[in-house]
Amino acid sequence: CTPGSTQYAWLERDLAGVDRTRTPWVVIFGHRPIYTGNSGPDPHLGQIEPLFMKYNVSLSLYGHVHNAQTWCPMYQGKCLRDGPPGGPWVGPIHAVIGNAGQQLSPFPPLDNRTAYHAYEHGYNDFVANSTHLTFTFWSDTHVPHYQFTTYQAYPPPDRKSPPLNSRHRTVSYSGLFLEKKKKQPSQLP
């Protein structure tokens, strides 16, 4: 997926076409991670990372590596601010969520960019409304092991379109193969 390729052009068109007044958070799912352990960005997959910044991708989730890990908000291998991934959105938050099954993958030595890592089976979910996204890593015994919340202005300041209406919808996702769960209209704030 290199600049100039058909796949890169498709990804850029897709990201550019997102109406952030209707979709305030953009989450990318992939198989092979851009970051893993203490390495990254991957020399091949890292070539799409500039698109993540250009189009304000909120969260990027990956499998392939069979463990759980998340980093500080990062771009081109550098933390965009000190500390864990929660707080105001400053850049993409990358997470490996490959611990739902299969034999676990050991961790290489980790560096200070890692906010959380777990060598255990489990799953994850996230809940989002127009201004807040909360992501949780769970153990396979349904105990929350790590959670962060990031937030942003709504609509994001780089988008000029006014909101379609003032109602906030909450959407949640759960699991490695994520299933969309919608609240009923009577449950909307």
Side-chain angles (χ1 to χ4, degrees), residues 53-157:
M53 283 300 288
K54 181 177 181 180
Y55 296 105
N56 299 327
V57 168
S58 314
L59 184 63
S60 59
L61 304 174
Y62 305 96
H64 186 68
V65 179
H66 296 279
N67 56 41
Q69 187 176 7
T70 193
W71 294 263
C72 57
M74 211 163 16
Y75 180 59
Q76 296 183 337
K78 295 187 178 16
C79 291
L80 297 174
R81 71 162 180 263
D82 292 334
W89 185 91
V90 294
I93 299 169
H94 299 268
V96 170
I97 57 171
N99 61 326
Q102 196 53 268
Q103 183 176 350
L104 294 169
S105 304
F107 283 99
L110 302 175
D111 59 28
N112 64 353
R113 299 176 303 169
T114 298
Y116 171 76
H117 68 281
Y119 184 74
E120 66 181 4
H121 288 104
Y123 61 100
N124 64 81
D125 68 7
F126 65 89
V127 177
N129 64 25
S130 58
T131 58
H132 290 73
L133 183 147
T134 299
F135 187 91
T136 307
F137 285 98
W138 298 84
S139 73
D140 63 354
T141 58
H142 315 295
V143 175
H145 280 202
Y146 184 77
Q147 183 177 77
F148 64 84
T149 299
T150 187
Y151 54 89
Q152 65 183 2
Y154 178 77

